[in-house]
Structure formats: structure tokens, C-alpha cells
Amino acid sequence: MLNVIEYPYARKKLLNHMSLYEKLQKATSEEDVKDAYIKALGLKGVQKNLVDIQTKEIWFEAKDNAKLSSYVMFTQLMHYVQQALNKGDYIPPFLCVMDTQKAAIMKSADVIPFLEKKTIKWGKSASKFTPEALDAISAYIGTYFVSFKIETHEEEFISTIKNAIKSGDIIRTQITPDNLKQVFDKWVVMIGREINGVAEDDYALLFFADIMSDGTTSTHNDLPAELLHKGNAPVFSLGGKIYELGSKDGYRQFWAIYHRPPKSEYRDYLLERRDSLIPLDERSFKGAYFTPLIVVDKAYDKLTETLGNNWQKDYIVWDMCCGVGNLEVKHSNPRNIYMSTLDQADVDVMKATKTCVAAQRFQYDYLNDDITDDGQIDYSLTNKVPDALRQAIASGKKILVLMNPPYAEAANSQGNEGKTDVANTKVSKGMSNYGYASRELFTQFLVRISKEIPNATLAMFSKLKYVNGPNFEKFRKEWNAKYLGGFVVHSKAFDGLKGNFPIGFLIWVTNQNARLKQPIIEIAAEVLDKNTRAIGEKKFYNIPNKNFLSLWIPRLKTDNINIPLKNAVTPQDKYAKVTSWITNAIGYMYCNSNDIQNAGQQTAITSSVFSTGNGFYITSENLWQAVVIFTVRRIIKPTWINDRDQFLQPTKPLSEEFKNDCLVWMLFNGSNLTASANDLEWNGKKWSIVNHFIPYTEEEVNAPDRFESDFMVRYMADKTFSKEAIEVLKQGKIFGNPILHILMKEKYVMSINSIALM
């Protein structure tokens, strides 16, 4: 035990021997974070002003937690850069952001031309940036900054900063055994195809001549090809011929990314791999869910960032639904790869195209093969799984499951969506505890993997529903995994996928046999657009279903029936799922599903029950809640990124002004389908419906006849409305049923955000 006198000295001594990451975890303030970085980086001439840390070479933005993304921190830092630019003040060569978990650096020169346009709408201060500023900065800087995870890449970060200060440049990426195939593919696109007159079969020879040189001197004297110079331009010599570049732009861009030559310890190994380097053509890959090679590149970059530089050496890879192998063609160590696929034809294609020749490729029905009647796994049933893979699983070797499984879903009870019987597999029969997830093929893969390889590392392309979908709550309680990192990319980046939604490439380490489950609470993922450009970061939340907005209003007991409608005044002439009614109801709110994806098309108010159900009855008591739900669901614009976000119940009391504003917004919205009509025919009878949602008296709108209901006039009589709502009501008297005034729309977007309904 340390006494009071000894403690400060001992603590200081202990801190001096800690790593940067360890110091950051013990930081209790932003000043602690700043001091830890200043000391670790050996910064000189430090000033602490509005910019957290200023030196002649770099400006730093620092945070005492890891809640904010690098994009947010860079946006705050750019606020000061913009101010300095406007005043003509000094701007350092580099900009850096950092917190207790991560850091990132970029060149000022890469963003200054963008800032000079002065098109960004900044906030009042750096910390009070506008959403427009964040979006603009995020979309622009995504390809310019270099990120580091301090826990695993502390040394790389420190050396990058020190080298930047010393050399005035950010050190380029090393060419290693792990990224060799990726580097070669980029070289072919940026350099190889610019070399005039050379055959594609010779690309690998010219590639090695290029990388095994510092630009002037080769590391080897006996290579078949050689890099030379003609004037100041690079040329290649092969077989007694000189080959010139048609354009030098790609050459300059390529060597701005990579460092050459490779480290001495890698060179001989890399040269031994040259026979396996074949230029890839995406046309050789087929399939409805083919993963584009540019997306595969991003996946391999993320795996390196997450699992370390040697992951291709350290992990055995099994892709259980490899198709024709495009997920594995970027791998530089195919002897560590096992590739299985449902169709033998895919295996034949891989053999014909010489895809991953050194890998073990075999036909295997992962959701049915080797599964006994009681759900156990018995490889002797088919003897298809290679012995070496069986032994690796049995001995607990590090196994990475890398896959893009099918997204097919079984049909629902009416059989009108999904694919009938597609999920009727042997795996699904053992998924009674997983609820709705048993109908999804990709979650069936996860369930067998968790049983077969309970400690596997998983890197998977898929939809995000298993993270935040309400129908997957039971699945999340059963499946146990820790999130390591990943990205989401626009579905438009993939061939054969319809719609606009995020496809996640998420990396997990599973621990299915753990006594205590590790619940998914939230995950943060980098966001890539359809061209795989980084445009920001997004968090996805696993919220208990009980907090969903769809469960905010209690369901009421029915006591009657009413005519089922399929739109404002048209009865359902086919099967009606719901016909029940409440005598004192004033309307019905159709609000199927609780996510933004469906809200736009599945939110409406009708004067009788909506035939498909999936909603609730509106009464005078719950009307204020109904208008809030209606407005929130209709006013938030769906995007491909927020596609699966869930609407949540309010987290604090709502103001009367907000509720009344929502009421007026709803009354004039096009999805308010309430109407009055007589003599509607259904079920052999004639029915009438009444519109209780008219906010005016007959005199106010010069109506020719008496309204059947004055409910809304009475309901609104004692309410106080905002000036915007009053203006809308005023215009309504003039135009009858106008499109909602723009003044209201802008106001409500801000109101909704302020109470965190989402």
C-alpha cells in the first residue's frame, strides 16, 4: 500500500511508463488528453488557445471522450481554419483530431481550396456547427484524412505525426504481403492500362519492376523487367522493348499513395507471389448480389485497420457462400482460404478462371449439409469439408468468416411477400428461440456459425436489420458478439439490388458460449456513398421494442364494425384483415412498421378502419398523440442512410405549441384521407362515413351545405396556436385544402429534432 506522501510520486512514475493509450484511458479531463498527446508526440512550441493545441506545423482538436466522430471533430477544427483563411492568418501544413480512442491527420492543402469557395454555412461557433457544415465537410474530406485506432495503432500514429513534422509530408502506405493483391489491382487500373502496347499477361512483371525500385535504383538486378526514365518520364523495359506511359497522371497519383520499395523483409516473399497476380475484370463475376471489387477493396482496408496488418497470415478464412469468389480475390495468401458455395457450377467457374487457385474450393450447402435430425453437426454425413478445416475448427485456430450471404426471406402468412419456402432449411428447424430471424437466410448462416465456430471472427456484408430491426429482438438476445468496426455503403453500389438502403460490412468477434451475453447497444460505422467515397459516420442503435413510437398509444377494445377502406372513400372489395371499430372513434390511423423506410408510404388517416389494419383507432382522448405520430412519420425525409432507423417515443413532455403545430400540419397534409361519404357499398349493405377533421365552420369557408361534424372546430376552440399555424389556418380558409405552407415545414423539422423523437 502507498501512503499519502508516496502516492503522487508513485502515480507520476507509473504514468511515465504508460503507453499513450493507457494514459488516455485514465484521462479525466480534456486537459489530460491534450497533455498526453503533447508528451507522446514530443510537440514543441505548443500554444493552447481556441484551437486546442497549436504548433507551427499542426493544429489539433482534442476531446476527452470518444463520442464524436472524426468528421465532427474535423468540422469543428475547420471552423478555425476558415476564420484564419478569411483574416489572412497563418495556417499550418497539417490538421489533426484526436480523442481517447482514435486520431486522424490530413494536409491543410487538401481542404484549403474547398474552404476558399466560402460556400459552407457555419454555425455561431466551432462547437455549434450547422448540419449543413457537417455534411459538406464530411463529404469532402473523407478521402483525404488518415485514421488511427490508438489501442492497436499507437506506434503508427506517433511515427506518422513525427514524420509529418520532420518531412512536411504524410508517410505513404507500405506495400506488404497482406495488401499485395489490392495494390496490384490498383496499379493495373492507374498505371498498367496506361502503358502503351504491353500485353496484360506482362502486367505482373512490370508491376514488380516498378515497386522494387525507389524510383531510380532497383532492389534486384535480375528482374525480367526494369523501370527506366526517358527524360523525366518513367518507362519500362521488357524483352528488349521500351514501353511508355500514355498518361502520367495515374502514375503520379499511385505513388502519392504508396511507399516504395517494400521493406527488405517483404521483398523476396512478394516476388514469389508474382505468378498469382492476374488482372481482375469484374465482368468475370456474376450473381444477383455480386460484391463490386471497389467495395471488396474497402472491406480489406477495414479488416487491416481492425484486425491488424498481418490478418491474412494470422487467420484462416472460410467463406460459406463464396459464389465465384470475388470476395477472396483481393487476398494475398490463398492457401489460408476455404471457399464453399451452394452450386457446383460456381466451383467450375472458379476453376476455369483460375480464381484463387491455391485455395480449397468445394461445393457445400451450408444450411443443410452435415446437420443431423437433432440439429448437431456431423461432417461424416457428406465428407465435403476438408480435413484441414475440420482440424482448425476443432483446435480453436483463429478463423475469420468472410462472406456476403443471400438476403432472401421466407414468405409471410399471406404469402404475398418474400420467397416461399426459401428459408425452409435444416438450420431453420433449430431456430425456435430466434423468432422472425428464422425466416432470413443470412441469420441462418449466423446461427450455424455460432454453433460450429463459437469464437469465430465474422466479417459480413448484409442489411442492418439484425442490428436494429424490431423483428430481430429475439435474435439479438440469443446471438452473442462484440462489434469491432465496419462501414455501410449505399445499396446502389451493388448489382442486382433494388431500393435505396445501407449495406453493412460489419466485423464482429463472437463468443456464443459465454455465460453472460454482450448486448448490442449501439454501433458506429463509416458511411460510403455508392461510389465508395467516405462521406461521414452513422450510429445504429438497438432499442427495445417497448420504446418504439408505434407502441406509444395503447390499443383500445373494439365494440362495433365499420366499412373497411383501401383509400379515402373506396371500400375494400377483397379480403379485409380488419373490420372492427370503436363507436366513439373519430378516425383510424394506418401506420404500418416503425421505421423511416416504410413511413412515407404507410402513414394515413381515414374516416373508417383501414382494411389492412396495422394501425389504431383515433379518439378525442388520443388525438394529440395521433397527430404527433402522423407528423413525425411524414415530415422526416427518408434517405438511404436512415432507411432502418426506428421512431421512438418522446423522451420528455411535449409542449402544447408543438402538439398544436402537429395538429395543423396533419390537417392539411395529403395523407390525411378523412372524408364524408354516403351510400358506400360493402358486405351487402350501404354505409356512411363522417369527416371529423374539418377545422372550419361552414360560414368560415362559405360552404354550400352543413358539415356532418363540427368536432375539430370544438376541439381547437380553446387551443393557442403559433403564428405559423395561424397563417396556415388563414390560408386554408382561402384555398380550402392547400398544400402545407413552407413556413410550417421548416419550423416542425426543428421542433422534432429538439425533443429527440428519433
Side-chain angles (χ1 to χ4, degrees), residues 603-725:
T603 304
I605 295 178
T606 52
S607 291
S608 185
V609 63
F610 199 71
S611 63
T612 62
N614 297 310
F616 57 87
Y617 303 94
I618 303 174
T619 67
S620 58
E621 289 77 20
N622 68 16
L623 175 59
W624 73 271
Q625 291 174 288
V627 299
V628 169
I629 293 174
F630 180 94
T631 302
V632 170
R633 286 174 61 95
R634 294 292 291 121
I635 204 169
I636 297 175
K637 182 180 179 181
T639 69
W640 74 268
I641 298 175
N642 69 16
D643 177 80
R644 289 288 176 178
D645 285 0
Q646 302 294 322
F647 294 104
L648 304 181
Q649 298 172 23
T651 55
K652 61 181 181 181
L654 307 180
S655 70
E656 290 302 312
E657 180 179 304
F658 175 79
K659 291 187 282 188
N660 295 340
D661 281 353
C662 288
L663 172 63
V664 175
W665 197 93
M666 177 275 296
L667 288 172
F668 292 96
N669 186 269
S671 291
N672 173 9
L673 304 181
T674 54
S676 291
N678 295 319
D679 296 330
L680 299 178
E681 294 187 3
W682 174 73
N683 199 26
K685 293 175 57 178
K686 290 187 176 181
W687 301 74
S688 296
I689 57 176
V690 177
N691 185 359
H692 296 285
F693 286 74
I694 302 173
Y696 306 114
T697 65
E698 293 86 345
E699 291 78 11
E700 287 178 308
V701 291
N702 195 27
D705 295 306
R706 178 179 180 272
F707 296 149
E708 292 188 62
S709 170
D710 66 346
F711 168 82
M712 192 57 63
V713 172
R714 290 184 287 106
Y715 182 82
M716 296 171 61
D718 62 348
K719 301 194 181 305
T720 302
F721 295 97
S722 66
K723 62 180 182 180
E724 292 87 357

Side-chain angles (χ1 to χ4, degrees), residues 204-215:
L205 300 178
L206 302 183
F207 168 72
F208 281 108
D210 202 9
I211 70 169
M212 293 299 177
S213 168
D214 61 7

Side-chain angles (χ1 to χ4, degrees), residues 364-539:
Y364 196 67
D365 183 351
Y366 191 73
L367 301 181
N368 290 292
D369 282 349
D370 292 335
I371 299 175
T372 63
D373 292 339
D374 60 353
Q376 301 304 307
I377 297 170
D378 182 356
Y379 295 128
S380 67
L381 294 179
T382 67
N383 285 316
K384 293 179 181 179
V385 177
D387 289 338
L389 179 55
R390 299 190 204 182
Q391 293 169 12
I393 295 171
S395 61
K397 287 188 177 181
K398 295 171 75 171
I399 295 177
L400 170 68
V401 174
L402 176 63
M403 64 176 181
N404 183 2
Y407 307 149
E409 174 188 339
N412 65 11
S413 58
Q414 276 78 44
N416 58 8
E417 64 178 47
K419 301 178 181 179
T420 307
D421 295 332
V422 72
N424 186 21
T425 67
K426 289 186 178 179
V427 170
S428 70
K429 289 179 172 60
M431 291 178 62
S432 58
N433 294 334
Y434 288 87
Y436 186 94
S438 65
R439 291 166 49 177
E440 289 275 358
L441 287 184
F442 83 94
T443 49
Q444 291 186 23
F445 276 87
L446 296 186
V447 169
R448 173 166 172 177
I449 291 165
S450 67
K451 187 172 187 176
E452 185 172 14
I453 320 171
N455 295 108
T457 298
L458 171 73
M460 179 177 70
F461 285 97
S462 71
K463 295 181 179 179
L464 275 297
K465 58 174 74 174
Y466 74 112
V467 174
N468 63 356
N471 288 332
F472 289 76
E473 189 171 36
K474 288 185 178 180
F475 171 84
R476 289 189 289 271
K477 290 180 179 179
E478 295 291 332
W479 188 67
N480 190 52
K482 177 183 177 182
Y483 178 65
L484 300 183
F487 61 77
V488 295
V489 62
H490 198 308
S491 58
K492 293 295 186 184
F494 293 74
D495 292 336
L497 288 182
K498 297 179 180 179
N500 291 285
F501 54 88
I503 293 292
F505 178 73
L506 307 183
I507 305 171
W508 309 81
V509 57
T510 60
N511 187 7
Q512 193 61 27
N513 294 333
R515 291 184 178 180
L516 295 176
K517 301 292 185 183
Q518 182 164 347
I520 301 170
I521 298 174
E522 66 177 60
I523 67 168
E526 188 177 14
V527 179
L528 310 180
D529 66 14
K530 64 182 180 181
N531 298 311
T532 71
R533 293 176 300 194
I535 58 173
E537 185 179 79
K538 163 113 176 126
K539 287 187 176 180

Side-chain angles (χ1 to χ4, degrees), residues 19 76 130 474:
S19 67
Q76 294 180 357
T130 65
K474 288 185 178 180

